[in-house]
Amino acid sequence: MTSSVPSLPTLTGEKVTLRAWRRSDTAIVVEASQDPLIPLLTSVPTNSDELAALAFIERQHKRLHDRAGYAFAIADHDDNAVGHIGLFFIPGGSGRVSAGYWIASSRRRQGLARDALTTLTSWAITLEELDRVELYVEPWNEGSWRVAEQAGYEREGLLRAWKRVGGQPRDMYMYSRLTRRASVADVCGD
């Protein structure tokens, strides 16, 4: 039996809408490619032009089709893309997904990342196939781990040399949010 590809919902928060990436969103991808860290930590190409930005957008659409995860553009109330957020399935991680996000530097410190992560997580924890959502944040990235904490994630610990970034092993804080089912199972001792 063949299962159909799930659809990407549109999710609305207080300050942002999480929606599918559009061809008209290339400017924010080009801006993000100029950031010293976003291309190191994500699939945003370094110093991209419009063609590279379009290729990035196409990769985001393929994630759902390939069952790799859900990739959303973060849009402000004027429907302008300001960043990216997604849930990415962990290979072999039955019931687990990893969340990741970025906001273009011109739009930071406006509460958009917190609202995007809160909105995504509120939806994710209702998905029947999930038990937990994980986040990995470098210890120096205080802005990102504060966003995680404001969105209700709990820090579980420090993972030493967890991921290579720019060719160097980097420590990461692990954060998580459990789904309602996992929280109830934990309380009931299942």
Side-chain angles (χ1 to χ4, degrees):
M1 183 163 94
T2 305
S3 62
S4 63
V5 174
S7 61
L8 188 74
T10 298
L11 306 173
T12 304
E14 293 176 15
K15 296 182 175 192
V16 300
T17 298
L18 308 183
R19 60 162 173 80
W21 280 93
R22 300 179 186 146
R23 293 179 62 86
S24 59
D25 295 331
T26 56
I28 205 70
V29 178
V30 171
E31 180 183 339
S33 77
Q34 307 301 314
D35 189 277
L37 296 173
I38 291 173
L40 280 176
L41 301 168
T42 71
S43 63
V44 171
T46 304
N47 297 316
S48 73
D49 58 15
E50 187 170 356
L51 286 177
L54 286 169
F56 168 83
I57 291 169
E58 181 59 30
R59 284 193 303 276
Q60 304 323 300
H61 291 280
K62 291 183 92 176
R63 289 181 190 269
L64 189 59
H65 183 269
D66 294 344
R67 291 180 166 60
Y70 298 88
F72 298 88
I74 302 169
D76 63 15
H77 282 307
D78 294 324
D79 201 30
N80 296 310
V82 299
H84 171 81
I85 193 163
L87 285 179
F88 308 105
F89 298 111
I90 298 170
S94 178
R96 294 176 24 232
V97 291
S98 173
Y101 51 88
W102 55 261
I103 299 288
S105 61
S106 66
R107 299 303 303 269
R108 292 182 186 149
R109 298 189 187 349
Q110 299 173 35
L112 302 174
R114 180 199 47 80
D115 189 43
L117 184 58
T118 299
T119 301
L120 179 76
T121 305
S122 294
W123 170 73
I125 63 175
T126 68
L127 296 176
E128 194 167 309
E129 67 270 22
L130 297 185
D131 299 318
R132 76 187 259 132
V133 181
E134 298 174 352
L135 279 170
Y136 309 99
V137 182
E138 287 185 279
W140 62 262
N141 193 345
E142 183 177 354
S144 191
W145 55 258
R146 285 196 185 277
V147 164
E149 291 171 357
Q150 291 167 357
Y153 283 75
E154 292 185 35
R155 187 184 300 174
E156 293 185 341
L158 178 67
L159 302 170
R160 303 289 310 230
W162 179 250
K163 182 177 181 178
R164 285 188 171 264
V165 177
Q168 299 297 314
R170 301 292 176 110
D171 295 348
M172 298 280 174
Y173 284 141
M174 173 176 289
Y175 283 86
S176 73
R177 279 282 306 268
L178 300 181
T179 66
R180 291 183 186 107
R181 285 166 309 291
S183 297
V184 170
D186 189 42
V187 170
C188 294
D190 285 350

